[in-house]
Amino acid sequence: MNSWVLTRYRDCLPLLTDAETFASDWTRAGHEESGSAASLQELDPPEHTPIRRLFTVAIRNQQLDRIGSNVRDLADSIISRRSRSSVSFDFTAEVARPAALLGVCELLGIEKPPVHSFAALADAMTRGMDAGLLPEVLAPALAARTELNRRIADWFDACDDQGLLSEVLTGAQNAGIPREAVWNSARVLFLAGFSTAVGAAANAVLALATHPDAFEELRGSDALRSGVDEFMRFDGPVQGTTRACVHETQIGDVTITRGDLVTALLGSANRDPEMFKNPDELVLTREPNRHLALGWGIHGCSGAILARIMIRALLESLIQNRGRLSLAEPPERLPRATLRYPDRLPLSFR
């Protein structure tokens, strides 16, 4: 990895929040241009600030309750049909991906593409995040990005007065933000919104299927409110993120020099016993719950709001169903370092 690795919560949190010391834009730490386009993910203040504000305001202006309701309706129809069948089904493919795609498309205000073709693009791009460990995933990721850029160009040309894309295009022009930065950030939001929501939902439902008591707890109390964040802490989709050190600093008794890469293992931080009591247990009423599953601070996951909407909608749909989920077969996972969730999650109702 050629990187320092952080596993404790108290070390990971400053990496996410101290942008002066730890850069998302690695050129600030002396690294060469990566060839990646500037976006919400790869800019730091002050360039990052107006784009972040533009997208944050635009997201809050969308009809998020309506999006959650539509995701819930879709989940209800699929889960109701499956609960009446004795045949197992793949939750990731049949529920999480269609629901996530519906949610992110309604958020952006675009027509929903076919789920299977887009899921393949998204998977190629998310696997491309691991190109440093698996060089063979880079070429498919670049090809997928080219195709997604082509689709985004069509969305920008077709967008009307509805949805987030229309709002950020108008806001960027008024604020003097380059169109390219808006374009790239829209791609990041679309991909992060979809992939993070799929991963968060699949992980949450896997935890629910393997913790049968959680079903009754969710049905019988207000645990759903705090349970959304506990599912993400317990098994979050994003496993790590890397920053470049801008100037020499100290982490514990280790000196980190300018240019060094530092990786925070978010899944490990979320199981840190110094921060979370009984960290390996699923405690649906856990509060406070300052987990790092979706990052923290100005570079927190762009798909965080959709992930929470998704998990809540899907859990509401599942717990109102009379049947109880169980694993039909062991889940299957593709080899990935950055995102962790079951690519195939065979379930049945009993």
Side-chain angles (χ1 to χ4, degrees):
M1 292 176 61
N2 194 29
S3 173
W4 295 99
V5 176
L6 308 180
T7 60
R8 295 183 300 190
Y9 187 98
R10 67 176 186 232
D11 295 331
C12 291
L13 184 60
L15 187 81
L16 303 178
T17 57
D18 183 1
E20 291 186 7
T21 305
F22 301 108
S24 294
D25 176 3
W26 292 5
T27 62
R28 293 178 49 225
H31 289 254
E32 295 182 0
E33 291 279 356
S34 64
S36 300
S39 70
L40 277 168
Q41 271 187 335
E42 297 183 357
L43 289 173
D44 287 318
E47 293 83 5
H48 176 273
T49 305
I51 301 175
R52 177 77 179 191
R53 183 184 303 117
L54 175 69
F55 275 83
T56 299
V57 171
I59 288 173
R60 289 174 179 168
N61 287 342
Q62 305 313 304
Q63 298 181 41
L64 300 178
D65 288 341
R66 186 203 66 193
I67 294 172
S69 177
N70 290 343
V71 169
R72 166 74 189 273
D73 289 344
L74 176 62
D76 281 348
S77 67
I78 299 171
I79 290 170
S80 175
R81 183 173 68 252
R82 281 303 189 179
S83 68
R84 296 192 297 270
S85 171
S86 60
V87 179
S88 65
F89 67 103
D90 179 1
F91 178 87
T92 303
E94 298 181 43
V95 184
R97 286 178 182 145
L101 190 58
L102 172 67
V104 73
C105 288
E106 290 204 356
L107 179 67
L108 293 175
I110 60 175
E111 290 292 323
K112 185 165 67 73
V115 63
H116 296 297
S117 65
F118 178 74
L121 282 179
D123 182 65
M125 291 187 67
T126 53
R127 295 193 76 195
M129 298 177 190
D130 301 333
L133 298 173
L134 298 170
E136 64 271 19
V137 303
L138 181 58
L142 293 176
R145 187 172 73 174
T146 299
E147 172 61 18
L148 185 54
N149 281 342
R150 184 190 65 77
R151 297 190 184 196
I152 290 175
D154 293 340
W155 298 338
F156 273 36
D157 291 339
C159 73
D160 50 24
D161 294 334
Q162 303 295 319
L164 182 142
L165 276 189
S166 174
E167 184 168 339
V168 296
L169 283 173
T170 301
Q173 186 174 7
N174 294 337
I177 298 172
R179 183 182 177 92
E180 182 185 18
V182 177
W183 180 304
N184 297 329
S185 297
R187 184 183 67 239
V188 167
L189 179 61
F190 189 75
L191 182 65
F194 176 79
S195 299
T196 305
V198 169
N203 285 347
V205 172
L206 175 59
L208 196 61
T210 53
H211 293 75
D213 291 346
F215 254 106
E216 297 309 317
E217 188 174 356
L218 286 174
R219 284 172 173 156
S221 70
D222 63 350
L224 182 60
R225 179 179 56 81
S226 56
V228 169
D229 277 289
E230 176 63 358
F231 279 115
M232 287 192 284
R233 181 206 67 83
F234 184 76
D235 192 5
V238 183
Q239 290 301 290
T241 187
T242 300
R243 304 283 193 268
C245 183
V246 177
H247 53 77
E248 184 174 302
T249 189
Q250 201 81 7
I251 301 180
D253 57 358
V254 175
T255 299
I256 311 296
T257 60
R258 173 175 167 80
D260 283 358
L261 299 181
V262 187
T263 299
L265 297 185
L266 306 181
S268 174
N270 286 337
R271 297 289 187 100
D272 186 344
E274 290 185 1
M275 182 65 185
F276 301 100
K277 184 179 179 181
N278 301 322
D280 295 329
E281 295 180 14
L282 183 68
V283 182
L284 296 180
T285 55
R286 187 185 301 274
E287 288 186 294
N289 194 344
R290 292 170 57 86
H291 64 80
L292 305 181
L294 300 174
W296 201 272
I298 62 171
H299 287 106
C301 178
S302 303
I305 193 165
L306 186 62
R308 285 189 167 90
I309 290 172
M310 272 275 298
I311 294 177
R312 184 175 186 90
L314 291 172
L315 290 178
E316 287 174 342
S317 183
L318 285 167
I319 62 178
Q320 62 86 36
N321 192 286
R322 294 183 63 186
R324 214 183 248 186
L325 281 178
S326 62
L327 281 174
E329 300 173 31
E332 298 176 11
R333 304 178 190 270
L334 288 172
R336 277 191 300 260
T338 304
L339 285 178
R340 179 182 186 275
Y341 64 88
D343 296 88
R344 184 170 179 269
L345 182 56
L347 300 175
S348 59
F349 281 97
R350 57 182 173 83

